[in-house]
Amino acid sequence: MGRRCWRQRVLAAACLGAALLLLCAAPRTLRPVFGNRALGSSWLGRERRSPLQKLYDLDQDPRSTLAEVHRQRRDLLSSACSRHTRRQRLLQPEDLRHVLVDDAHGLLYCYVPKVACTNWKRVLLALSGQTRGDPRAIPAHEAHAPGRLPSLADFSPAEINQRLRAYLTFLFVREPFERLASAYRNKLARPYSAAFQRRYGARIVQRLRPRALPDARARGHDVRFAEFLAYLLDPRTRRDEPFNEHWERAHALCHPCRLRYDVVGKFETLAEDAAFVLGLAGAPDLSFPGPPRPRGAAASRDLAVRLFRDISPFYQRRLFDLYKMDFLLFNYSTPSYLRLH
């Protein structure tokens, strides 16, 4: 992380006013203390290095090329936050709902749907000892079951801030339009269950297809990609309720300009970045499930190219503006297949 970066860490500190979590500029200690039993975690109660300490040690080793990659990503994110964000509202504990807690290993993981979050939840269940054997054997519905993994939002303000100071915090992100294309395919075009089609697909058809057949209005089973994008851009959508987490912007789920992330993993380098985190967590032999890369990344891009091909430049520009902060904060270039001018 570099000595200067560590001195300037910005974390959530114990600054609570009523229900608001005020994030204060309270630097994390350069070398996190051991044996803090107040957190009730197993690793803090033993004399061994925390994941955060391991990351600091790697940052001091010029031979660690992967640690340098993640240091650069942190610096780019910090710089982008400084350039592109203004005064922001105070975070409430509920804003931390997507941050999952592993007290046993000192980890905080902010999950972003459609960025291997099912497999990360499987891995966290395996790390916590809730399951044995290959994480891939855990059914997806069990990985997503409420209460299986604690959320940071469920803790008291003091407990939240203790963990933010001492734990390794990480998230995984994805090229925004490829993630959006994946969400459309997985939830509306070829869903594993009809629930999303009935809830969101039917709403999209009823709003945007005046002469829709009764079956389509009831089932929402044939939503076109252009209709899905029009629904996202319709001001009524976010006025009625927040975006669903599968197409909500990553920065709105994980607040990377308010919370300090030690590791910013990417879908495009998932295998390497996941192995890096698991090594820091003391589980280098745990295999992260998922398709081999770059095959998965190539398929992801091909899907986005195919879906956006028939979207007009006008709507491409409006959609890019909607997701622009994710492109800027996580250092993704404007996709070459877009026609923005």
Side-chain angles (χ1 to χ4, degrees):
M1 263 169 236
R3 296 182 184 277
R4 182 183 64 177
C5 183
W6 274 81
R7 293 190 186 101
Q8 296 177 344
R9 296 189 66 91
V10 178
L11 305 176
C15 305
L16 263 182
L20 296 180
L21 180 67
L22 175 60
L23 299 182
C24 302
R28 205 183 254 174
T29 54
L30 204 60
R31 292 182 177 274
V33 298
F34 301 119
N36 186 348
R37 300 179 189 277
L39 294 183
S41 66
S42 59
W43 71 262
L44 279 174
R46 296 196 297 265
E47 291 297 328
R48 69 184 182 91
R49 293 180 304 159
S50 72
L52 190 59
Q53 178 67 58
K54 290 179 183 178
L55 181 60
Y56 172 80
D57 292 344
L58 282 175
D59 277 348
Q60 312 313 306
D61 184 354
R63 297 168 298 178
S64 179
T65 56
L66 198 51
E68 174 63 16
V69 166
H70 288 287
R71 185 195 64 77
Q72 291 177 4
R73 288 181 185 173
R74 285 193 303 274
D75 289 348
L76 285 169
L77 176 57
S78 177
S79 177
C81 286
S82 297
R83 290 196 309 270
H84 301 297
T85 60
R86 299 290 190 271
R87 184 177 179 179
Q88 303 177 73
R89 68 175 179 83
L90 301 177
L91 287 182
Q92 300 180 17
E94 191 58 31
D95 292 318
L96 306 176
R97 180 60 57 190
H98 273 243
V99 181
L100 303 179
V101 179
D102 180 356
D103 278 329
H105 297 83
L107 300 175
L108 296 176
Y109 162 58
C110 185
Y111 71 91
V112 178
K114 306 311 303 172
V115 194
C117 79
T118 301
N119 284 332
W120 266 115
K121 289 180 180 181
R122 287 171 169 145
V123 166
L124 291 178
L125 287 172
L127 286 173
S128 68
Q130 296 188 48
T131 184
R132 303 289 183 184
D134 190 338
R136 288 173 292 189
I138 302 173
H141 71 273
E142 289 188 17
H144 293 296
R148 289 297 300 272
L149 294 164
S151 165
L152 195 58
D154 295 330
F155 292 86
S156 71
E159 291 170 329
I160 289 173
N161 289 313
Q162 285 176 318
R163 285 163 174 79
L164 286 171
R165 289 192 192 95
Y167 286 11
L168 181 90
T169 308
F170 70 99
L171 82 163
F172 274 70
V173 295
R174 184 177 186 176
E175 198 273 3
F177 282 1
E178 292 179 19
R179 176 176 169 248
L180 194 62
S182 177
Y184 165 75
R185 180 181 63 176
N186 182 247
K187 298 301 177 183
L188 293 171
R190 296 189 306 182
Y192 292 111
S193 109
F196 262 79
Q197 289 181 333
R198 288 194 300 267
R199 178 174 179 181
Y200 293 101
R203 185 182 305 170
I204 293 170
V205 171
Q206 292 165 17
R207 181 186 297 179
L208 299 172
R209 203 186 302 170
R211 296 180 179 83
L213 297 175
D215 187 46
R217 292 175 61 85
R219 295 171 55 200
H221 64 290
D222 61 350
V223 172
R224 307 177 189 102
F225 188 59
E227 292 174 326
F228 172 57
L229 300 187
Y231 167 76
L232 297 180
L233 292 170
D234 188 335
R236 292 172 292 179
T237 299
R238 280 188 291 168
R239 188 168 63 236
D240 293 343
E241 63 179 0
F243 271 169
N244 179 272
E245 62 179 9
H246 291 85
W247 42 83
E248 179 60 280
R249 287 74 49 88
H251 77 272
L253 296 174
C254 295
H255 312 285
C257 294
R258 307 304 303 272
L259 301 177
R260 171 72 189 194
Y261 286 94
D262 305 298
V263 175
V264 179
K266 294 201 170 187
F267 182 83
E268 295 78 12
T269 51
L270 177 60
E272 301 93 326
D273 295 343
F276 183 69
V277 172
L278 292 174
L280 295 172
D285 297 329
L286 184 60
S287 178
F288 188 85
R293 302 295 189 261
R295 188 184 71 193
S300 175
R301 187 179 190 281
D302 289 345
L303 174 65
V305 170
R306 187 167 67 253
L307 288 175
F308 276 93
R309 182 181 300 144
D310 298 327
I311 303 302
S312 71
F314 174 74
Y315 278 103
Q316 288 183 3
R317 164 55 68 184
R318 289 186 61 197
L319 197 72
F320 182 80
D321 290 341
L322 181 61
Y323 286 85
K324 187 175 182 179
M325 284 301 295
D326 276 2
F327 281 98
L328 294 173
L329 295 179
F330 302 117
N331 197 35
Y332 283 107
S333 302
T334 305
S336 60
Y337 53 81
L338 295 184
R339 307 182 308 280
L340 299 182
H341 301 292

